[in-house]
Amino acid sequence: MRFKSYWRTTVVAAIFLHFFVCLGLALALPLLDFEGAPIAAQEMEVVDLSEGDDGNADTEKPEPPEVKPPAPEPPAPEKPEPEPEELVLPVEMSPTEAAELDETVAEMQKQEEEAKKRGEDGKDVRPPAPPNQEVGTIISSGMTPDTRGTDFRGTVGVLVDVDAQGKIVGVFLSRKSGRFVVDQIVLNALKTFKFEPALDMNGNPMKTKRLINFPFDGSGPHPFDDDENKRMRAKRELFLRERQQQGNAPAN
């Protein structure tokens, strides 16, 4: 059984239907109000807030308790600064005095070299003491210079004048290193030295000279005590012991 189709009529009807629907929407849409009346914006008042204020005027913060500053500590008593030991350096000398001093130094160095040698009789050859000196100056304490930071290798000789109180009153570099820094290290080391003054024939302290040699061999500072110092210390003990025995001896 066959049915008759009206497809042409259906298509034309659909076209007209869509046309009228679109035309109705085009006429109705402009009449519709989707947005409505705009809400008027209110102006905001700007308020400056102080630091630490959170904007709540009703809540008042309690004032912090008043902190009393601590009582000032009493000033510590000022300690008197120790007076630096003065190291008296030699002043400029006349050519005649300088020549005499050089001769004295050369003679003392020569006597020291001879003292290290032994004579044929087996006795030590020692330099003669000054006319009224029985025991020379003894170095009681002092640290040698720190020679580890220097590239100089050799010996620096210093001739010091020691008074009757054991203080240095004059310094003369008898054997210089040729370098100002090295010589200054030796002079600074002498500031720590303390001496026992020389004794005359009666056992009284006297002023004298002492030749000190500082070897620069790359070693660190250590207490100074050379062979001459040991010999002088032994001689002083013997000299004082003999004088004590003479004092205790009954008078004839």
Side-chain angles (χ1 to χ4, degrees), residues 4 77-78 80 182 188 195 199 241:
K4 189 178 181 180
E78 297 182 357
V182 175
N188 292 339
F195 299 84
L199 301 179
R241 190 182 302 117

Side-chain angles (χ1 to χ4, degrees), residues 35-205:
E35 295 181 358
I39 300 174
Q42 298 179 356
E43 295 183 359
M44 298 180 64
E45 182 180 0
V46 180
V47 180
D48 294 333
L49 299 178
S50 59
E51 295 182 359
D53 191 359
D54 57 357
N56 296 328
D58 297 338
T59 58
E60 296 181 357
K61 293 184 178 180
E63 296 181 358
E66 185 178 352
V67 180
K68 296 182 179 180
E73 297 182 357
E78 297 182 357
K79 296 182 179 180
E81 297 182 357
E83 296 181 359
E85 297 183 1
E86 295 184 356
L87 183 59
V88 181
L89 299 179
V91 296
E92 296 183 358
M93 296 177 293
S94 63
T96 304
E97 293 176 342
E100 292 178 355
L101 184 58
D102 291 339
E103 292 178 0
T104 303
V105 172
E107 183 66 23
M108 293 183 69
Q109 290 177 345
K110 181 180 178 181
Q111 291 174 355
E112 278 195 351
E113 293 176 359
E114 292 178 354
K116 294 179 181 179
K117 301 178 182 178
R118 293 182 177 273
E120 296 179 357
D121 55 355
K123 295 182 180 180
D124 291 341
V125 179
R126 300 297 179 182
N132 61 337
Q133 177 180 308
E134 181 65 24
V135 181
T137 303
I138 299 176
I139 301 174
S140 59
S141 64
M143 300 296 291
T144 61
D146 188 356
T147 64
R148 293 173 295 183
T150 61
D151 56 354
F152 171 75
R153 294 295 176 265
T155 302
V156 178
V158 183
L159 182 66
V160 294
D161 290 329
V162 183
D163 62 7
Q165 286 73 38
K167 294 182 180 180
I168 300 178
V169 295
V171 176
F172 177 76
L173 289 170
S174 59
R175 183 182 299 174
K176 298 182 179 181
S177 64
R179 302 182 184 181
F180 175 79
V181 175
V182 175
D183 295 340
Q184 192 62 41
I185 290 175
V186 173
L187 295 178
N188 292 339
L190 282 175
K191 296 179 181 179
T192 65
F193 274 53
K194 294 182 180 179
F195 299 84
E196 295 180 14
L199 301 179
D200 59 11
M201 302 296 292
N202 299 322
N204 300 319

Side-chain angles (χ1 to χ4, degrees), residues 112 139 210-213 224-231 233:
E112 278 195 351
I139 301 174
R210 173 69 189 267
L211 185 62
I212 309 174
N213 292 320
F224 181 89
D225 194 19
D226 59 357
D227 294 339
E228 179 68 13
N229 211 44
K230 296 176 182 178
R231 184 183 72 85
R233 188 182 298 110

